[in-house]
Amino acid sequence: MKYISTRGQAPALGFEDVMLAGLASDGGLYIPESLPHFSAEEVSQLVELDYPDLAVEIMRPFVADFLEEEKLQVIVHDTYKVFRHKAVAPLTQLDTNEWVMELFHGPTLAFKDFALQLLGRLLDEALERRGEKAVILGATSGDTGSAAIEGCRACEHVDIFIMHPHKRVSEVQRRQMTTVLADNVHNIAVEGTFDDCQALVKASFADQSFLKGERRLVAVNSINWARIMAQVVYYFHAALSLGAPEKEVSFSVPTGNFGDIFAGYIARKMGLPIKQLIVATNRNDILHRFFADNSYAKEQLAPTLSPSMDIMVSSNFERLLFDVHDRDGQQLAAVMKAFDETGSISVDEARWQAVKQLFTSNRSSDEEVVSTIKQVSDECSGYLLDPHTAIGVKAARVCHSDKSVPIVTLATAHPVKFPESVVRAGLSEPELPLWLADLHERPELYTVLSDDKAEVHRFIQEKLGL
């Protein structure tokens, strides 16, 4: 399988090179030239598989030029044996045909573990073969950082630098990053927003001269195709559990960067019978405004109770726009250039209407988040949602168009990571799991830096001895 850039000017690459490159050389995002497709009969044959074996079947076509199946089996089983629920991604029923899929049973209590536990192992395999060392440079609005650190802390060939917006992530999110005191782990608190952190990452990838040719930069943000690939699996897992391929399933996805819901879009294109994809946003609603009004436009970022979604620009949305524009890289490059210059784009009416056949969207305020947490707790014997999942549940209840079709909300994080929302709902503060009970007593290590590329690069050089 070859991967091409959304902007059409970068060379097509195999999986290993795409994983190591992250962003394409023309500024685009890599995407498979063509997707594997499962017939209804082939989907039905997946029903009896446990999660790791299902993951092998779904991901095998994407990595066939990189890993033999036996090696893939080992890596995937190692990845998911660290999850603390036998089902890996269990489904919990809220109401008739309404479910949440709990994606928070990994080591950092967030859905990012599904991809980043895997990515760390894949990176180490690739770098070992090449005899190289790499620098992971990432930006996080909360969960990506801790999941990336946890996935890469034991990697022999990687140093990892994670930037988070200073005082704009929850305390549990911060501590899950900054209490990992491994020699190859470096946390940077940037005096700015997540989008500032993301801009620093993109600028660093565009000019890697500060590494003096001794290391390569690797991306762990959701622009890395390996992350999308891993997330496709749990859509298959949920749909199979609820009757696919005989029955359709819909999904509501809390999303800021569009990566998690784009994985659902890919699953549908691979043959999974998905009826509806609901984009659930907070007040930072660039995605909702596109699907509601055909306006993809930057606005001032506002802090919310769901900080992992406090994002002004959704990086992975470019991958959908590529398909919307007939997979024409030249055309898409012109669209993205217009967005960079004006901060606002819309698409042709017919293309927008076609997208809306699958996607709908909803926006929730902080007040609605708190209300939804309380409502679900009252209805479901004290079952707790984190604020991001509450946004997904709210959107599911507003937008679910066919009540005969099961709706699954992706529960993206454990509520203990965001206790403020639970307390504001008038409920008792959730307790950390026993294996994390001492998190608030563990020593922290991080460095506060200004939103300045040169300062960040000097810090990295110093830590690497360059």
Side-chain angles (χ1 to χ4, degrees):
M1 178 181 289
K2 288 295 185 182
Y3 294 81
I4 58 174
S5 169
T6 52
R7 303 195 187 183
Q9 298 302 307
L13 300 177
F15 176 82
E16 181 178 350
D17 289 323
V18 163
M19 176 179 65
L20 292 171
L23 198 66
S25 58
D26 59 1
L29 305 183
Y30 280 110
I31 197 155
E33 195 168 34
S34 62
L35 288 170
H37 189 272
F38 291 80
S39 67
E41 181 180 355
E42 289 169 329
V43 171
S44 68
Q45 292 171 357
L46 303 173
V47 170
E48 299 300 323
L49 299 180
D50 65 10
Y51 195 94
D53 287 336
L54 175 64
V56 170
E57 290 301 312
I58 299 302
M59 294 191 291
R60 181 173 53 187
F62 294 107
V63 302
D65 66 340
F66 171 53
L67 289 177
E68 296 179 355
E69 184 173 350
E70 185 175 324
K71 185 65 176 181
L72 178 62
Q73 284 270 4
V74 171
I75 288 175
V76 169
H77 280 263
D78 282 350
T79 295
Y80 295 113
K81 73 182 181 183
V82 303
F83 281 61
R84 293 174 182 266
H85 194 292
K86 189 174 181 180
V88 182
L91 289 164
T92 295
Q93 189 167 13
L94 300 185
D95 201 348
T96 304
N97 267 351
E98 183 185 15
W99 307 77
V100 294
M101 179 165 52
E102 295 180 350
L103 301 178
F104 50 71
H105 293 285
T108 70
L109 307 177
F111 81 99
K112 308 282 176 81
D113 287 324
F114 280 83
L116 289 169
Q117 286 292 314
L118 176 69
L119 180 57
R121 290 165 170 83
L122 294 175
L123 285 173
D124 229 24
E125 174 71 18
L127 294 167
E128 171 72 26
R129 292 183 189 181
R130 292 172 175 236
E132 295 181 13
K133 288 187 176 293
V135 173
I136 288 174
L137 180 61
T140 185
S141 55
D143 291 329
T144 294
S146 57
I149 287 168
E150 191 64 34
C152 298
R153 63 189 295 180
C155 292
E156 297 181 15
H157 307 282
V158 167
D159 284 277
I160 181 166
F161 294 80
I162 296 293
M163 294 183 284
H164 69 268
H166 188 38
K167 297 182 179 180
R168 288 176 181 255
V169 299
S170 78
E171 184 178 6
V172 170
Q173 286 178 313
R174 187 192 75 241
R175 286 182 172 275
Q176 283 187 304
M177 294 186 285
T178 61
T179 58
V180 178
L181 304 182
D183 290 340
N184 67 331
V185 173
H186 310 280
N187 281 285
I188 302 170
V190 173
E191 293 177 320
T193 67
F194 167 77
D195 290 285
D196 295 327
C197 297
Q198 186 82 304
L200 287 169
V201 170
K202 290 183 177 179
S204 300
F205 272 84
D207 180 7
Q208 300 185 29
S209 60
F210 69 100
L211 294 175
K212 302 180 179 179
E214 296 187 21
R215 303 278 186 103
R216 70 159 74 223
L217 277 185
V218 174
V220 293
N221 285 63
S222 56
I223 60 172
N224 195 311
W225 172 258
R227 282 190 52 180
I228 304 293
M229 172 189 75
Q231 291 168 321
V232 169
V233 177
Y234 48 68
Y235 285 91
F236 274 85
H237 165 74
L240 289 165
S241 299
L242 294 173
E246 288 79 14
K247 294 181 180 179
E248 291 183 305
V249 182
S250 294
F251 291 89
S252 179
V253 186
T255 188
N257 241 343
F258 204 72
D260 208 8
I261 197 164
F262 185 76
Y265 172 76
I266 292 294
R268 186 176 188 266
K269 293 186 73 175
M270 290 173 65
L272 196 65
I274 294 177
K275 172 83 169 180
Q276 185 181 17
L277 289 170
I278 300 170
V279 177
T281 76
N282 62 17
R283 65 180 293 185
N284 297 301
D285 61 348
I286 186 171
L287 291 170
H288 170 63
R289 284 182 279 114
F290 174 80
F291 290 106
D293 301 315
N294 194 10
S295 174
Y296 187 73
K298 293 181 184 179
E299 287 189 355
Q300 188 69 34
L301 194 73
T304 71
L305 291 174
S306 45
S308 298
M309 295 160 64
D310 288 347
I311 294 170
M312 188 189 305
V313 178
S314 301
S315 299
N316 280 285
F317 191 58
E318 179 170 335
R319 286 184 161 120
L320 180 65
L321 288 174
F322 180 60
D323 275 10
V324 167
H325 291 88
D326 306 315
R327 297 176 67 85
D328 183 332
Q330 186 173 357
Q331 190 177 164
L332 193 277
V335 170
M336 298 313 297
K337 181 180 179 183
F339 180 71
D340 289 340
E341 292 174 349
T342 68
S344 176
I345 55 171
S346 59
V347 302
D348 177 82
E349 178 72 15
R351 299 179 193 274
W352 180 62
Q353 291 293 346
V355 167
K356 283 167 60 67
Q357 296 300 306
L358 174 63
F359 289 96
T360 51
S361 65
N362 188 69
R363 171 187 56 226
S364 291
S365 66
D366 280 352
E367 292 73 22
E368 289 171 317
V369 166
V370 171
S371 174
T372 303
I373 291 172
K374 180 66 164 64
Q375 181 183 13
V376 170
S377 176
D378 289 346
E379 293 172 348
C380 302
S381 303
Y383 188 78
L384 290 182
L385 304 176
D386 91 289
H388 307 80
T389 307
I391 288 170
V393 169
K394 173 71 173 179
R397 293 180 171 184
V398 170
C399 298
H400 189 199
S401 60
D402 186 345
K403 303 301 183 185
S404 69
V405 174
I407 181 79
V408 179
T409 294
L410 272 53
T412 54
H414 193 291
V416 77
K417 301 189 81 164
F418 306 95
E420 181 186 351
S421 299
V422 177
V423 172
R424 281 183 57 171
L427 305 171
S428 298
E429 182 171 336
E431 295 183 358
L432 285 162
L434 285 176
W435 49 279
L436 275 176
D438 66 340
L439 181 65
H440 293 282
E441 284 72 56
R442 296 177 188 176
E444 291 188 85
L445 179 61
Y446 64 96
T447 303
V448 180
L449 298 179
S450 63
D451 176 19
D452 180 78
K453 183 177 74 169
E455 186 175 348
V456 170
H457 287 180
R458 283 194 296 271
F459 177 82
I460 294 172
Q461 289 173 329
E462 177 186 334
K463 294 299 180 183
L464 297 177
L466 298 180

